[in-house]
Amino acid sequence: MMFLWKPDMIRFMRDASEHTGYHADLAARIVPHLKEGARVCDAGCGLGYLSLALAPLAAQVTAVDRNADALSVLRENCEKRGVVNVEARHCDMTLYRSEQPFDAMVFCMYGSFSEILALAKKHCGGKAVIIKRRSSSHQFSKGRQRQETEPGACTKLDLLGVPYWEQNFTATLDQPLRSLDDARRFFALYRPEGAPEMTEDEIMRRVVRTENEEFPYLLPSSRQMGMIVFDAADIPETEETEYADNLCATAL
């Protein structure tokens, strides 16, 4: 299912990204797996904050996303910060055409595992890096939303016989909020279809007050994450990856 960046989502994620070290933390974990002077693809880059964090540590970062509004944030930040080695590409990653394989590809919170493998097989000449949550439920929701998880990806790689390196960690992406009304709007964005709205009391039990005039409320968020690194050359043929994906579908 295609992820759609709504205007409020862009606004909230921009605030969270610019007031935490979340993407710098992710970049620091990725870089040891990159060769010197690497050409990196940030697949499904969204607003591009991970691309920006990788830029000082790579020769070139190609940031690809199908949402023009999200990429406009990246382009604005590149101009503002004087970043010249990040190329923002407005494109569906599944339709992307590369002139030569990337040295590494990063799939942070990217879609389906089978799609990741197909893209890495096609475009990556080195390491593929997958970053996903370890839990399938969304912590901001009143209700349950299932997502593909890092343990599930490991299970599928095991079935395919692909060797990989794995790291589990906790990442902080607190959400600063400009008002209580913003808090309501934020929780409404991530409410599963059919789930009831959060009451003001429920919201206030989740957020904390701050002394920051611009952001008087804060929603603390610690994410249990997992990172998987493997050689794209070890990915088997498409038919085998699809078989493993179908085999695991009912179990995960």
Side-chain angles (χ1 to χ4, degrees):
M1 179 180 178
M2 183 174 71
F3 180 81
L4 298 176
W5 281 101
K6 300 176 182 178
D8 270 349
M9 285 182 175
I10 292 176
R11 180 169 65 90
F12 286 130
M13 180 55 78
R14 189 169 190 167
D15 286 342
S17 298
E18 294 181 359
H19 290 83
T20 69
Y22 175 76
H23 293 97
D25 180 20
L26 295 185
R29 295 177 187 277
I30 293 169
V31 167
H33 301 281
L34 305 181
K35 70 177 187 180
E36 186 175 354
R39 295 174 53 258
V40 182
C41 176
D42 183 3
C45 66
L47 306 191
Y49 283 96
L50 180 55
S51 298
L52 291 171
L54 288 169
L57 311 166
Q60 178 72 29
V61 179
T62 301
V64 183
D65 202 277
R66 69 183 101 198
N67 188 283
D69 292 334
L71 283 177
S72 69
V73 175
L74 173 58
R75 293 192 177 100
E76 178 187 333
N77 279 324
C78 284
E79 183 176 353
K80 185 190 305 182
R81 303 182 191 190
V83 177
V84 297
N85 66 329
V86 173
E87 179 190 11
R89 294 288 298 272
H90 180 210
C91 179
D92 185 325
M93 194 69 223
T94 61
L95 303 177
Y96 183 78
R97 298 290 181 268
S98 55
E99 295 180 359
Q100 58 181 312
F102 293 104
D103 299 314
M105 292 187 73
V106 178
F107 300 90
C108 183
M109 312 303 287
Y110 196 85
S112 76
F113 179 74
S114 56
E115 187 175 302
I116 289 173
L117 289 187
L119 291 171
K121 184 79 171 176
K122 184 176 182 179
H123 298 298
C124 186
K127 299 292 185 182
V129 181
I130 300 175
I131 300 175
K132 285 184 176 291
R133 292 187 179 92
R134 290 186 54 78
S135 170
S136 62
S137 60
H138 200 296
Q139 63 182 321
F140 300 138
S141 302
K142 184 175 181 179
R144 186 173 179 80
Q145 290 178 305
R146 291 194 61 81
Q147 302 175 349
E148 280 198 328
T149 65
E150 183 268 347
C154 289
T155 299
K156 294 173 183 179
L157 287 172
D158 288 335
L159 285 169
L160 292 168
V162 176
Y164 60 89
W165 178 91
E166 178 193 14
Q167 181 186 57
N168 298 326
F169 59 96
T170 301
T172 299
L173 185 61
D174 296 340
Q175 179 64 59
L177 298 161
R178 299 174 186 273
S179 65
L180 188 56
D181 182 61
D182 252 8
R184 293 191 190 95
R185 293 169 71 93
F186 180 83
F187 283 111
L189 277 174
Y190 296 100
R191 185 175 74 246
E193 186 176 352
E197 291 187 20
M198 284 191 180
T199 65
E200 184 170 326
D201 285 344
E202 288 174 323
I203 292 174
M204 292 305 297
R205 284 197 294 269
R206 295 201 180 197
V207 302
V208 296
R209 291 184 180 274
T210 75
E211 296 181 358
N212 186 320
E213 292 185 2
E214 184 178 8
F215 299 103
Y217 298 96
L218 182 74
L219 175 62
S221 173
S222 292
R223 300 181 172 190
Q224 300 303 312
M225 309 285 289
M227 183 169 78
I228 307 167
V229 183
F230 56 95
D231 288 319
D234 291 333
I235 302 170
E237 294 306 312
T238 304
E239 291 81 7
E240 296 180 52
T241 63
E242 290 178 350
Y243 169 75
D245 206 46
N246 292 333
L247 186 64
C248 290
T250 57
L252 302 175

